[in-house]
Amino acid sequence: MKKLAKETIEQLALKMRLQAGLNPSEPIHTKTLLRKLGVMVIYRPLSEKACGLSMRSSDGRAKFILVNSNNSRGRQHFTICHELFHLYYDEEPKPHICGTPGMEKDPAEINANTFASALLLPQAGVLESIPSEEIMNRHITTATMLRVEQLFGVSHQSLCYCLRHLRLLTEEELQTHLEESMEIQQIAAEYGYDLSLYQPGNEGVVIGDFGEKARLLFEQERISEGHYVELLNLLK
């Protein structure tokens, strides 16, 4: 797949928002979005280098995402939106582990990262959330950054790169804020924010109708009771 223009990817992100009944600028609740789209998702602990993976059936109807529950929730949100690009707009999606070293220069991965950022952090929504004087002065305070990343449910790093793209951070300021990411929980705590966005979570959570389908197969006597119990145990 070739690298797409940023404007093209932003239109794809807008298309998905409208498909899910969202306006162009409001924050996204990823679990609600996944339910609306009918994508099955399972959160499980994975290795440190793996963020997640996605697969879809040959006809494109069934879609699945595996998310690393060891990652922070903000990172999980980005992974989900990254994988949604592969599931819906990647011309030749190949099952792979997101976060695998060496894939950063792959055009499909660059497209998916750009899409995730556009879907989670729409330009209009971000600008609406920043005080006008800070935009005019090109000086975004730490307090504002924390509020915006909490509002849109993204990691500190994701917001930093978004603000740099909007030219609201210089390259020097970007690097300074990225260094702050190592201590973002302490900084957020000092401002009185809930820290769950910056922490791992969701282990064992399943989104979708996996259990419902397993029950239906059992009731139709297409699988044995033992197989049915085995399938349910996958959800634990």
Side-chain angles (χ1 to χ4, degrees):
M1 184 176 190
K2 67 179 182 179
K3 182 179 177 181
L4 300 176
K6 189 175 189 299
E7 293 74 18
T8 300
I9 294 177
E10 288 175 342
Q11 286 302 308
L12 293 177
L14 176 59
K15 177 181 178 181
M16 179 165 285
R17 279 178 164 272
L18 297 178
Q19 179 183 349
L22 300 168
N23 71 40
S25 61
E26 68 180 296
I28 283 178
H29 188 283
T30 54
K31 291 178 182 176
T32 299
L33 175 63
L34 291 166
R35 292 186 178 97
K36 287 183 176 182
L37 296 175
V39 178
M40 180 176 292
V41 180
I42 297 179
Y43 295 79
R44 287 285 188 272
L46 301 176
S47 70
E48 184 178 335
K49 295 180 180 179
C51 297
L53 62 83
S54 62
M55 294 182 289
R56 73 185 187 199
S57 60
S58 56
D59 61 7
R61 297 178 63 183
K63 301 178 178 66
F64 169 78
I65 298 176
L66 177 65
V67 180
N68 189 351
S69 59
N70 286 334
N71 286 344
S72 71
R73 289 176 175 83
R75 176 65 206 189
Q76 290 174 20
H77 298 160
F78 190 90
T79 296
I80 287 168
C81 293
H82 173 106
E83 298 301 340
L84 285 175
F85 176 84
H86 289 307
L87 290 174
Y88 283 87
Y89 305 119
D90 194 334
E91 296 173 354
E92 299 178 356
K94 300 175 182 177
H96 67 277
I97 298 177
C98 176
T100 302
M103 298 189 68
E104 299 88 351
K105 297 182 180 180
D106 185 325
E109 294 303 293
I110 295 173
N111 291 339
N113 284 337
T114 303
F115 176 83
S117 180
L119 188 60
L120 286 170
L121 290 164
Q123 179 173 321
V126 172
L127 292 175
E128 289 171 1
S129 304
I130 299 175
S132 57
E133 61 270 19
E134 293 188 22
I135 294 177
M136 292 178 61
N137 295 329
R138 292 293 191 272
H139 177 69
I140 312 303
T141 64
T142 297
T144 293
M145 293 181 69
L146 288 168
R147 179 169 50 78
V148 174
E149 63 198 38
Q150 289 278 337
L151 176 62
F152 288 92
V154 299
S155 68
H156 191 64
Q157 295 96 319
S158 292
L159 180 62
C160 286
Y161 284 116
C162 174
L163 294 177
R164 174 59 181 145
H165 173 73
L166 294 174
R167 298 183 179 179
L168 295 176
L169 291 180
T170 65
E171 186 62 31
E172 183 178 354
E173 289 171 332
L174 170 65
Q175 296 306 318
T176 298
H177 284 294
L178 289 177
E179 290 173 4
E180 285 181 352
S181 297
M182 302 298 295
E183 302 175 353
I184 191 61
Q185 289 194 58
Q186 179 181 338
I187 296 172
E190 292 172 355
Y191 281 81
Y193 283 104
D194 175 16
L195 303 183
S196 60
L197 178 66
Y198 313 105
Q199 298 172 340
N202 293 314
E203 181 176 346
V205 171
V206 177
I207 297 174
D209 57 358
F210 181 88
E212 179 184 340
K213 288 181 177 177
R215 179 69 184 181
L216 181 60
L217 290 173
F218 174 60
E219 291 177 347
Q220 294 175 344
E221 299 184 349
R222 295 172 63 182
I223 60 174
S224 66
E225 182 177 358
H227 192 185
Y228 171 57
V229 172
E230 182 180 338
L231 291 174
L232 291 184
N233 284 335
L234 293 175
L235 302 180
K236 297 180 180 180

